[in-house]
C-alpha cells in the first residue's frame, strides 16, 4: 500500500511496474488490481496475461449449479480473450455430483431443476469463452475439459436435459460454429485439446483449421463419447508437424497408423489412447492398429512413447490391446466391475520392462481381490523387479500384502518417486506377524520408508488415489505430451 501512495511509486514508468507485477501469480494480480486505478491499468497490460488457467463450476457449498461464477468468467474473458496466447479451461464437478456412483443420480432425480440449471450454466459459460476467443489470431494453446459425470450422455445429465434447456439446439449450433471460427481464424495454433466438451467438437470441426495452423500444430487431442471419430485420417494428413496425438483407442485405426509412418511427416513423440470398455459393443477393436502397424510406426518414430488408460476393460480385451511392439510408458487400468488378472500383469511386466515408468491400478467396487495366485510370485513385486524405469506406482481396490509392499520399496528404492497405496488396500499376512514384534502398521511404515529412502505413509484420503478417471486421463495426457 505504501508503494502505491508514495511519490516514487507513482513516478515509476508503467513498463517497470508491469515488469514487477509479472512475478505475481494470476490470483495475486487480480487482487492487486483492486488497490488503485494506476495498478489496475498496469495489471491488465496484455503482456502479463499471455497464459490463463481457469477452473470453473463446482457450485457452492449448498450445491449450486456454478452460475455464480459466470460473471467472473465473463470479466476475465472480456479482458483477456482477444489476446491471450495460452488458455486452459476445466469445468469442475458440481457439488454432490462427483460420479454416478456417489449419490449424484439420486440427487438429480429428486431435483430435476438442478440438472437443468447446471446444463444452462455450462452452455452459457462455454459460449462466453468461445465468443471471447473468436477473433484471437495469436492463440497458440487451447485446452478445454468438460466434467464427464455432469456432461456425458451416460452420466447424470443426458441429452434429454440438453434438449429441454436448448430447444432446437440453437445454443449448441452457436457453440460449434464459434469453435470452428476460432480454428479458422487461428494463425499459429500449436496445441489443440478438447476432452468431453459436450457437443462442442463435431467430426467436421477439424476441417475448419486454417492452413497456417495446420503447419504449426504440434499437439492434437479431441476426445468425446461421440460416434464417429472426431479425428479422421484425411484431416490428420494435413497436420504434417504433429508430434503428439491423443484420441480414443478404437479410433486409432490401421490406416491412421500407416499415415503416421510417412516420411514426409515429423516423427510422433507422444501418443495417448483412451479405451472405454463400455463402448466396445458399438466401437469394436476390429480395425485398430495391428502388431505390424506398430512396428512400422516405431521404426519411423524412434522416440515414440505411449500412454494408455483402460476403463472397465476385461482382461481378454486387454490382452488384444497390449501389442508387444507398443512402446508403452504409462498405463492406467481403472474399473468398477471388471478385474485385472495376474495374466495381464505378467504380460505387462514382461513386454514393457524396458519402457514402463507409470503403473496405476484402480478398482472402485466392494471387496479387494488378491492379484497373486502364488504368494511367492506376487505380480506387483515382479512388475517392480522387471520394469527398471518404474517411477510411479498407484494401487487401490486390490489387496496389497504388507511384505510385498516392503519388497517393492527395496527393489526400486529412491527411483520410485511416487508410491501411493490406499490404507484399506493393505493387508497383513498372519503367518508373518508371528515373527515380527510390535505394531505391524508401524513396522510397515518404517520398512517402506527405509526402502524408499524417504518418509512414506499409506494414503488415508482416498481422493488422492480415487478421482474422476477421465479427468485423470486429461491431466496425465497434458503432462505426458508437454514432456515431448
Amino acid at each position: 500500500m505504501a508503494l502505491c501512495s508514495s511519490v516514487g511509486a507513482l513516478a515509476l514508468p508503467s513498463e517497470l511496474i508491469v515488469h514487477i507485477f509479472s512475478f505475481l501469480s494470476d490470483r495475486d494480480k487480480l487482487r492487486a488490481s483492486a488497490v488503485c486505478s494506476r495498478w489496475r491499468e498496469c495489471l491488465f497490460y496484455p503482456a502479463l496475461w499471455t497464459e490463463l488457467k481457469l477452473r470453473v463450476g463446482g457450485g457452492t457449498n449448498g450445491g449450486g449449479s456454478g452460475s455464480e461464477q459466470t460473471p467472473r468468467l465473463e470479466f476475465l474473458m472480456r479482458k483477456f480473450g482477444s489476446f491471450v496466447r495460452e488458455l486452459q479451461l476445466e469445468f469442475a464437478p458440481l457439488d454432490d455430483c462427483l460420479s454416478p456412483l456417489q449419490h449424484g443420480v439420486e440427487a438429480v432425480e429428486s431435483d430435476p431443476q438442478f440438472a437443468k440449471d447446471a446444463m444452462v450454466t455450462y452452455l452459457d459459460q462455454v459460449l462466453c469463452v468461445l465468443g471471447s476467443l473468436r477473433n484471437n489470431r495469436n492463440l497458440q494453446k487451447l485446452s478445454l475439459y468438460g466434467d464427464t459425470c455432469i456432461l456425458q450422455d451416460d452420466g447424470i445429465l443426458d441429452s434429454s436435459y440438453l434438449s429441454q434447456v436448448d430447444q432446437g439446439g440453437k445454443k449448441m449450433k452457436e457453440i460449434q460454429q464459434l469453435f470452428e471460427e476460432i480454428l479458422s481464424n487461428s494463425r499459429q495454433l500449436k496445441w489443440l485439446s478438447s476432452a468431453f466438451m459436450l457437443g462442442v467438437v463435431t467430426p467436421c470441426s477439424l476441417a475448419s483449421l486454417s492452413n497456417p495452423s495446420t503447419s504449426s500444430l504440434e499437439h492434437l487431442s479431441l476426445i468425446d463419447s461421440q460416434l464417429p471419430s472426431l479425428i479422421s485420417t484425411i484431416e490428420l494428413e494435413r497436420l504434417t508437424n504433429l508430434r503428439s496425438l491423443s484420441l480414443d483407442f478404437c479410433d486409432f485405426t490401421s490406416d491412421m497408423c500407416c499415415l503416421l509412418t510417412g516420411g514426409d511427416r515429423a516423427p510422433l513423440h507422444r501418443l495417448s489412447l483412451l479405451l472405454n470398455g463400455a463402448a466396445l459393443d458399438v466401437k469394436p477393436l476390429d480395425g485398430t492398429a495391428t502388431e505390424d502397424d506398430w512396428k512400422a510406426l516405431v521404426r519411423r518414430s524412434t522416440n515414440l512413447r505411449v500412454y494408455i488408460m483402460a476403463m472397465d476393460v476385461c482382461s481378454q480385451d486387454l490382452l488384444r490391446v497390449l501389442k508387444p511392439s507398443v512402446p508403452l510408458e504409462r498405463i492406467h487400468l481403472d474399473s468398477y466391475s471388471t478385474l485385472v488378472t495376474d495374466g495381464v500383469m505378467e504380460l505387462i511386466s514382461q513386454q514393457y520392462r524396458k519402457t514402463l515408468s507409470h503403473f496405476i491400478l484402480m478398482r472402485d467396487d466392494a471387496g479387494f481381490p488378491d492379484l497373486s495366485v502364488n504368494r511367492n510370485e506376487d505380480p506387483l513385486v515382479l512388475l517392480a523387479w522387471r520394469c527398471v524405469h518404474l517411477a510411479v506406482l498407484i494401487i487401490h481396490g486390490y489387496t496389497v500384502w504388507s511384505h510385498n509392499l516392503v519388497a517393492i520399496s527395496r527393489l526400486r528404492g529412491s527411483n520410485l518417486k511416487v508410491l501411493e497405496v490406499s490404507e484399506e488396500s493393505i493387508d497383513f499376512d498372519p503367518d508373518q506377524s508371528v515373527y515380527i514384534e510390535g505394531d505391524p502398521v508401524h513396522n510397515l511404515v518404517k520398512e517402506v520408508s527405509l526402502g524408499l529412502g524417504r518418509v512414506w505413509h499409506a494414503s488415508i484420503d482416498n481422493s488422492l488415489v480415487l478421482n474422476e478417471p477421465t479427468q485423470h486421463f486429461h491431466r496425465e495426457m497434458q503432462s505426458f505430451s508437454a514432456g515431448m
Side-chain angles (χ1 to χ4, degrees):
M1 197 67 71
L3 175 62
C4 180
S5 60
S6 65
V7 176
L10 293 175
L12 288 174
S14 298
E15 291 80 2
L16 185 55
I17 295 178
V18 168
H19 178 69
I20 294 171
F21 288 152
S22 68
F23 296 98
L24 296 179
S25 66
D26 290 351
R27 187 181 296 274
D28 288 338
K29 288 175 193 172
L30 292 174
R31 288 173 176 168
S33 69
V35 172
C36 67
S37 59
R38 179 76 190 287
W39 279 28
R40 185 179 183 84
E41 179 185 349
C42 292
L43 279 160
F44 289 123
Y45 191 74
L48 290 177
W49 299 95
T50 57
E51 181 181 357
L52 199 59
K53 296 180 181 180
L54 301 174
R55 191 167 188 259
V56 298
T60 63
N61 292 333
S65 65
S67 59
E68 71 283 347
Q69 297 184 7
T70 303
R72 280 177 279 178
L73 180 65
E74 290 175 345
F75 169 79
L76 288 170
M77 296 311 301
R78 188 172 62 251
K79 283 287 185 182
F80 315 126
S82 61
F83 59 79
V84 67
R85 293 184 180 179
E86 297 185 9
L87 174 64
Q88 295 185 49
L89 176 64
E90 283 191 12
F91 288 89
L94 297 179
D95 292 344
D96 299 324
C97 293
L98 294 178
S99 81
L101 301 180
Q102 296 177 348
H103 65 265
V105 174
E106 290 80 1
V108 171
E109 286 177 347
S110 63
D111 187 8
Q113 188 58 43
F114 172 87
K116 294 178 183 177
D117 291 343
M119 185 62 77
V120 169
T121 299
Y122 166 75
L123 293 174
D124 290 343
Q125 290 176 342
V126 174
L127 277 171
C128 165
V129 172
L130 298 185
S132 302
L133 295 172
R134 65 194 304 177
N135 295 318
N136 187 336
R137 292 175 177 265
N138 297 317
L139 190 65
Q140 296 181 7
K141 180 175 183 176
L142 177 60
S143 176
L144 305 173
Y145 171 80
D147 174 49
T148 52
C149 65
I150 300 299
L151 306 174
Q152 261 188 327
D153 287 349
D154 58 352
I156 295 173
L157 301 186
D158 56 27
S159 55
S160 62
Y161 285 104
L162 180 59
S163 61
Q164 291 177 40
V165 302
D166 184 26
Q167 295 181 0
K170 184 178 178 181
K171 285 188 176 181
M172 282 309 309
K173 290 176 183 175
E174 186 179 354
I175 286 173
Q176 292 166 2
Q177 196 170 14
L178 283 171
F179 186 76
E180 292 178 6
E181 212 172 316
I182 292 170
L183 298 187
S184 63
N185 289 333
S186 66
R187 291 296 177 267
Q188 47 187 328
L189 199 61
K190 294 182 178 180
W191 183 294
L192 178 60
S193 173
S194 176
F196 306 102
M197 296 291 294
L198 178 65
V200 171
V201 186
T202 69
C204 301
S205 297
L206 206 54
S208 303
L209 190 65
S210 67
N211 287 330
S213 286
T214 58
S215 300
S216 62
L217 196 67
E218 296 181 354
H219 170 83
L220 177 64
S221 172
L222 298 180
I223 296 179
D224 208 331
S225 56
Q226 298 185 54
L227 292 171
S229 170
L230 297 177
I231 304 176
S232 68
T233 304
I234 295 174
E235 295 303 331
L236 196 63
E237 191 173 2
R238 302 169 63 207
L239 311 177
T240 55
N241 287 316
L242 203 65
R243 299 178 184 275
S244 175
L245 179 63
S246 175
L247 72 167
D248 190 295
F249 189 98
C250 294
D251 295 334
F252 189 64
T253 62
S254 182
D255 290 341
M256 185 177 292
C257 193
C258 291
L259 172 68
L260 294 171
T261 62
D264 57 339
R265 304 180 57 86
L268 199 64
H269 287 246
R270 296 290 186 271
L271 179 60
S272 301
L273 300 169
L274 178 64
L275 179 60
N276 187 352
L280 288 180
D281 290 337
V282 290
K283 296 182 78 171
L285 292 171
D286 302 333
T288 57
T290 64
E291 170 66 6
D292 289 338
D293 295 331
W294 280 104
K295 286 180 179 179
L297 181 60
V298 171
R299 280 196 300 268
R300 174 70 182 98
S301 303
T302 54
N303 293 321
L304 177 64
R305 289 294 178 265
V306 176
Y307 163 46
I308 294 177
M309 172 184 268
M311 298 191 302
D312 254 335
V313 180
C314 69
S315 293
Q316 184 178 358
D317 288 328
L318 282 174
L319 294 175
R320 291 180 60 192
V321 164
L322 299 172
K323 305 283 196 302
S325 295
V326 176
L328 188 67
E329 183 177 291
R330 307 183 187 195
I331 187 167
H332 181 159
L333 306 177
D334 203 305
S335 65
Y336 293 113
S337 56
T338 58
L339 286 175
V340 174
T341 63
D342 60 324
V344 171
M345 294 290 299
E346 176 72 12
L347 180 76
I348 292 172
S349 64
Q350 287 275 16
Q351 286 188 171
Y352 310 117
R353 60 187 183 276
K354 294 182 180 179
T355 58
L356 192 70
S357 65
H358 291 55
F359 183 81
I360 301 176
L361 182 62
M362 312 291 290
R363 184 173 180 269
D364 189 15
D365 197 10
F368 290 79
D370 190 352
L371 284 169
S372 51
V373 177
N374 182 351
R375 287 285 181 87
N376 296 321
E377 296 182 0
D378 182 74
L380 291 173
V381 175
L382 291 175
L383 182 86
W385 175 51
R386 290 169 177 157
C387 298
V388 293
H389 298 294
L390 190 68
V392 174
L393 181 61
I394 302 176
I395 309 291
H396 172 77
Y398 291 85
T399 296
V400 181
W401 295 98
S402 58
H403 58 279
N404 289 330
L405 199 53
V406 173
I408 291 169
S409 68
R410 290 175 179 174
L411 282 167
R412 294 269 57 89
S414 60
N415 292 322
L416 191 59
K417 304 300 181 184
V418 176
L419 177 60
E420 292 285 352
V421 182
S422 60
E423 189 178 53
E424 54 192 331
S425 297
I426 300 174
D427 204 349
F428 297 87
D429 192 336
D431 296 335
Q432 294 217 349
S433 61
V434 176
Y435 306 101
I436 301 175
E437 297 181 357
D439 179 33
V441 176
H442 175 77
N443 288 330
L444 174 65
V445 170
K446 178 183 176 182
E447 291 299 322
V448 175
S449 298
L450 285 172
L452 297 175
R454 63 179 185 274
V455 177
W456 176 88
H457 291 283
S459 297
I460 300 176
D461 182 6
N462 280 347
S463 65
L464 295 175
V465 291
L466 275 179
N467 55 19
E468 173 58 34
T470 54
Q471 187 180 64
H472 181 97
F473 175 81
H474 172 69
R475 292 181 176 177
E476 188 73 10
M477 177 273 296
Q478 296 266 55
S479 63
F480 180 58
S481 299
M484 62 182 176

